[in-house]
Structures are given as structure tokens and as C-alpha cells.
Amino acid sequence: MAATALAAGAGAVAGTQSAQGPPGPAASLELWLNKATDPSMSEQDWSAIQNFCEQVNTDPNGPTHAPWLLAHKIQSPQEKEALYALTVLEMCMNHCGEKFHSEVAKFRFLNELIKVLSPKYLGSWATEKVKGRVIEILFSWTVWFPEDIKIRDAYQMLKKQGIIKQDPKLPVDKILPPPSPWPKSSIFDADEEKSKLLTRLLKSNHPEDLQAAVLKVAVVYGITPF
């Protein structure tokens, strides 16, 4: 039934697109999210996730609208759709900017995740795999974003209530948050002559040249060398 409704919704969007031109920003968000969380796919569509994230970043209302689209998918009775949606949520939390991050870090959204775990709401029928992923994500956020007090409080509340028995063991690739992007004014872009000099130093076989290159990079990026 849910899959039929999803297909019907996607068909309605497609029909609107062909009859009236490209969909608006809100419709595009739903379209890409439907593709990114399609439970009929054996593997997740990573290009759809990327397009969804880009739409969130370009649509002025994307950061406030996207979390609720994701919450609906995360609460899906179809395990695969819920798991796919949780992956999209993680990607958006890492790549969709401060406004999206602040929306997700509010109790209003966190309560939607809590519902998946609470036996009073959806926890009685949500699968263990989905609940495990929600717990893993919440815990990883307490590690990555300690300044987000509401995330920490929500997680601690779930532990006190016995809904979370113990902290999950994070996979190695989830222990640290994603690396920050390089500064816009890269040393390789700022000055062509300096770029050529740095390239020559890096290719040199002389230890003193390599040390000079390291010092130049350290100065630009504020790194303390060795």
C-alpha cells in the first residue's frame, strides 16, 4: 500500500513536470528524496542523495522543509525506506550547512527520532535495525557536536528511561566527523608564482626543500608543523 502511494505520488509529480514545466523547489526536494529512499532499489541512489543535498542548499526554504520530509521517511513502516532516509539525514547533517543543522538539533525534530525508539509511539513495531541506526546516529552526534545541548539531553533522556541500554560502538569511519572543507583561498589558487614554487619544492629530492614546503602550507592553514 505504502509503495503504491509512493509510486502514485511520484507519478503525480512527473505528470506535473511534463504538463507545466520543471517542478518547483519543494517538489524537487520530494522528488529527489523519493529517489534516494526508494525501497525497491537494492542499493541506495547516491546521485539522488547528492541532488537532494544540493537542493536543500539552494532552496531558501530547503533547510527548514527537508527535515520534515526526512522525518516522514524515517518513520516509514518499510525498513529499507527508513534506513535509506537515515543515511540521507546523516549526509545532510554533514553537508547542508548551519541552518539545516540547527533545525535538526531542535527538540521539535529530535522528538520525531525519539518516536521511532519509544514503545509508546512507533518503537513497538519499528525494526531493531532501524532503531539501532537511530541510536547510532544520535550517539555519533553527541560525539561530533558536543555544543548541541539538546541532542545530548535527548540522548541522555533516552538512556535514563532505559530505551537506550548502552552506547553503541561506532564504526571506525564514524568515530570522527567529516573533514572540514579546504579554505576558499587555497595556497595553490591565491598566487600562481607561489604555487609553482611550492610544486617544485614538493617534487624536490632535497630534505630542506620538502621542509620549506611543509612550513609554507602550515603558515597558510594555521597548522603547527611537527
Side-chain angles (χ1 to χ4, degrees), residues 71-199:
H72 178 71
K73 295 286 189 180
I74 291 167
Q75 294 172 357
S76 170
Q78 298 188 69
E79 181 184 77
K80 188 178 285 188
E81 185 174 39
L83 291 171
Y84 283 172
L86 287 165
T87 298
V88 178
L89 173 62
E90 277 193 304
M91 292 293 290
C92 287
M93 195 65 162
N94 295 335
H95 300 289
C96 288
E98 187 176 342
K99 193 172 181 181
F100 179 92
H101 184 116
S102 65
E103 287 295 318
V104 169
K106 293 176 180 176
F107 281 132
R108 187 174 170 219
F109 178 82
L110 293 172
N111 282 336
E112 299 302 312
L113 296 182
I114 291 170
K115 286 178 183 178
V116 177
L117 302 175
S118 174
K120 293 181 179 179
Y121 295 95
L122 310 178
S124 59
W125 55 261
T127 68
E128 291 303 315
K129 198 168 184 180
V130 169
K131 288 189 284 188
R133 282 288 287 126
V134 171
I135 292 171
E136 182 183 283
I137 288 171
L138 286 172
F139 177 65
S140 70
W141 288 349
T142 67
V143 175
W144 294 358
F145 313 118
E147 70 280 3
D148 288 318
I149 306 301
K150 292 177 181 177
I151 293 177
R152 184 197 65 193
D153 288 349
Y155 185 80
Q156 291 302 323
M157 178 197 71
L158 290 166
K159 289 187 73 174
K160 287 179 181 178
Q161 292 180 355
I163 294 174
I164 296 177
K165 307 297 184 185
Q166 60 183 12
D167 294 340
K169 185 176 181 180
L170 294 179
V172 175
D173 63 341
K174 294 183 182 296
I175 292 175
L176 296 175
S180 300
W182 288 87
K184 291 181 180 179
S185 55
S186 167
I187 189 172
F188 294 100
D189 302 327
D191 188 307
E192 186 176 352
E193 290 303 316
K194 288 181 181 178
S195 175
K196 290 179 180 178
L197 173 60
L198 183 58
T199 300

